[in-house]
């Protein structure tokens, strides 16, 4: 009799601990989501570009795509098979990263929001977003700079909704020399 009561108590206690852990996990996830939403005070570029990726994948537009490597250039009319890869340079930019916190200066002039980065050690130097009168992005430009002892990279990204996108990159690698490439797609 004592053994069955103790076993029953143990099972009930284990169930109570399991239920508490499940609810605690849910509350932690809810708290993390709330903190993330509160922290997202700058324009959410990853979400915007995910919407664009989804829209473009569905529409499957024909693109005039130009690829340039150093002084060689080729242009073709294509359907992009993987918009996630095509726009990955844009989608990877997140103004709400903790590393940028406290280092962004925001200016707004004539429906253009400019985010300037005050720490030269950060990879981003400037992000500009031109909004339409209803507050939707029309054009986004991004300037990135990375410099260390092995290489220096400058990247310029532009995305104009329903018009074109551009990824332009200059890279100076110690010992290997300079590289330049450009990818431009026109809708």
């Amino acid at each position: 009799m004592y053994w069955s009561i103790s076993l029953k108590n143990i099972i009930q206690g284990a169930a109570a601990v399991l239920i508490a852990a499940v609810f605690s996990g849910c509350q932690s996830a809810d708290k993390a989501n709330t903190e993330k939403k509160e922290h997202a005070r700058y324009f959410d570029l990853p979400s915007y570009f995910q919407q664009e990726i989804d829209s473009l994948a569905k529409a499957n537009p024909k693109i005039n795509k130009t690829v340039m490597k150093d002084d060689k250039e080729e242009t073709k009319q294509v359907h992009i098979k993987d918009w996630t890869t095509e726009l990955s340079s844009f989608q990877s930019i997140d103004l709400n990263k903790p590393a940028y916190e406290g280092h962004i200066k925001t200016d707004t002039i004539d429906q253009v929001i400019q985010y300037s980065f005050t720490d030269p050690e950060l990879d981003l130097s400037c992000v500009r977003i031109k909004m339409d009168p209803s507050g939707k992005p029309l054009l986004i430009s991004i300037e990135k700079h990375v410099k260390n002892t092995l290489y220096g990279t400058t990247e310029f990204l532009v995305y104009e909704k329903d018009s074109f996108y551009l990824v332009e990159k200059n890279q100076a690698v110690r010992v290997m020399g300079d590289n330049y490439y450009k990818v431009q797609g026109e809708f």
Side-chain angles (χ1 to χ4, degrees):
M1 175 100 152
Y2 177 74
W3 172 253
S4 64
I5 292 174
S6 296
L7 183 59
K8 183 178 177 183
N9 289 343
I10 290 171
I11 292 171
Q12 287 176 341
V17 168
L18 181 63
I19 290 169
V22 168
F23 283 117
S24 172
C26 291
Q27 289 173 347
S28 295
D30 289 343
K31 183 178 178 183
N33 287 338
T34 301
E35 287 175 0
K36 186 176 180 181
K37 286 178 187 173
E38 288 174 0
H39 180 69
R41 47 186 211 160
Y42 301 113
F43 188 81
D44 188 353
L45 288 168
S47 292
Y48 173 77
F49 281 107
Q50 186 59 56
Q51 290 171 0
E52 289 298 293
I53 288 166
D54 295 344
S55 175
L56 290 166
K58 185 177 179 181
N60 194 24
K62 197 173 256 189
I63 303 294
N64 286 326
K65 185 173 178 179
T66 302
V67 177
M68 183 174 191
K69 168 79 170 91
D70 295 323
D71 60 350
K72 296 177 183 169
E73 182 177 315
E74 183 178 357
T75 301
K76 288 184 179 180
Q77 201 170 56
V78 296
H79 287 280
I80 303 299
K81 293 178 183 175
D82 184 359
W83 281 103
T84 300
T85 300
E86 192 73 10
L87 298 179
S88 64
S89 294
F90 294 92
Q91 192 175 27
S92 68
I93 306 299
D94 185 357
L95 299 172
N96 294 297
K97 282 183 184 175
Y100 301 143
E101 191 171 334
H103 300 289
I104 299 176
K105 179 182 171 195
T106 305
D107 292 318
T108 304
I109 300 170
D110 295 330
Q111 298 176 319
V112 175
I113 303 168
Q114 178 171 301
Y115 301 103
S116 302
F117 295 78
T118 59
D119 184 349
E121 297 297 314
L122 295 173
D123 61 339
L124 290 176
S125 57
C126 187
V127 174
R128 290 180 192 92
I129 304 172
K130 180 176 179 156
M131 302 292 200
D132 70 9
S134 69
K136 294 180 183 172
L138 291 174
L139 183 120
I140 297 171
S141 71
I142 301 163
E143 295 174 35
K144 292 178 67 174
H145 302 283
V146 176
K147 188 172 182 176
N148 60 38
T149 57
L150 299 176
Y151 68 90
T153 301
T154 301
E155 200 168 357
F156 184 62
L157 310 169
V158 180
Y159 183 85
E160 185 173 356
K161 186 170 180 63
D162 300 326
S163 183
F164 78 99
Y165 60 95
L166 168 75
V167 176
E168 189 172 23
K169 188 172 190 174
N170 283 298
Q171 189 174 46
V173 182
R174 188 176 262 196
V175 181
M176 295 179 67
D178 296 347
N179 292 305
Y180 170 80
Y181 80 83
K182 177 175 92 170
V183 176
Q184 182 170 339
E186 296 177 5
F187 298 92

